[in-house]
Amino acid sequence: MITVLPAEAQSDNQQAGMRFGYTFGLYYQVTSPAGNSEVGALMMASFRNGGFQATGLRITYEYALGSLSPDFKLIWGYGGHVGFMFTDNISSMGENFNFPEDRFLPLIGADGYAAIEYTIPPIPLTLTLSYKPFVEMVTPAFFRFIPYDFGFSVAYLF
């Protein structure tokens, strides 16, 4: 006798939205259940200093606030970004550098991520307060640490 068991698909949670803050942009996020939490990826196209940055983060959702409300989640993660900026001044290691005109400056960096998210139960909408500090190397030879990248996001959950 042959027995066929139904396959159980892992359900992915996806959201797309906009982040407002020092790093402003559009993002897409996907997570999947993993034990007592969810893991996933957050990809963001952001705009700052007249340029463009593409960010990729590995994120983990924790249900530590479940006793407060099952609609609150803590998120943490890490990743990196690449891109460029157009500017006539830049701060690096506590010093300001001014150029006579805007310059194209490629950059690469590493990001941290921490957030608290609330899902509004009757509608598929999430509100997120996030903290995304980063370090970056801006060519030709500028090193920047930005510890104040706080943001607010609104996203559609699907």
Side-chain angles (χ1 to χ4, degrees), residues 26-49:
L26 303 171
Y27 72 91
Y28 170 76
Q29 175 180 305
V30 61
T31 58
S32 296
N36 292 333
S37 61
E38 290 181 41
V39 295
L42 185 150
M43 289 78 57
M44 182 168 36
S46 58
F47 311 94
R48 101 180 119 75
N49 294 76

Side-chain angles (χ1 to χ4, degrees), residues 13-16 27-42 57-65 70-77 113 115-119 126-128 153 155-157:
N13 294 318
Q14 301 177 57
Q15 57 180 274
Y27 72 91
Y28 170 76
Q29 175 180 305
V30 61
T31 58
S32 296
N36 292 333
S37 61
E38 290 181 41
V39 295
L42 185 150
L57 301 171
R58 182 194 183 283
I59 57 171
T60 301
Y61 271 74
E62 300 287 346
Y63 298 103
L65 298 175
D71 301 314
F72 277 107
K73 297 175 186 169
L74 290 176
I75 310 162
W76 61 272
Y113 189 75
I116 184 167
E117 180 179 280
Y118 178 70
T119 303
T126 62
L127 305 174
T128 307
S153 302
Y156 175 72
L157 185 63

Side-chain angles (χ1 to χ4, degrees), residues 13-152:
N13 294 318
Q14 301 177 57
Q15 57 180 274
M18 183 172 282
R19 182 177 194 265
F20 304 92
Y22 182 79
T23 301
F24 166 81
L26 303 171
Y27 72 91
Y28 170 76
Q29 175 180 305
V30 61
T31 58
S32 296
N36 292 333
S37 61
E38 290 181 41
V39 295
L42 185 150
M43 289 78 57
M44 182 168 36
S46 58
F47 311 94
R48 101 180 119 75
N49 294 76
F52 173 80
Q53 294 81 40
T55 303
L57 301 171
R58 182 194 183 283
I59 57 171
T60 301
Y61 271 74
E62 300 287 346
Y63 298 103
L65 298 175
S67 60
L68 179 61
S69 169
D71 301 314
F72 277 107
K73 297 175 186 169
L74 290 176
I75 310 162
W76 61 272
Y78 57 88
H81 65 274
V82 295
F84 63 90
M85 65 174 75
F86 279 106
T87 187
D88 64 352
N89 64 54
I90 190 168
S91 294
S92 176
M93 306 295 286
E95 293 187 42
N96 292 322
F97 297 90
N98 295 307
F99 310 119
E101 57 190 34
D102 282 352
R103 287 193 178 182
F104 174 80
L105 302 171
L107 57 89
I108 186 168
D111 299 73
Y113 189 75
I116 184 167
E117 180 179 280
Y118 178 70
T119 303
I120 301 172
I123 56 175
L125 194 67
T126 62
L127 305 174
T128 307
L129 291 174
S130 62
Y131 175 58
K132 193 183 80 58
F134 61 89
V135 295
E136 64 187 6
M137 183 66 180
V138 181
T139 58
F142 300 106
F143 178 79
R144 297 174 6 123
F145 171 57
I146 307 296
Y148 49 80
D149 190 358
F150 294 94
F152 174 75

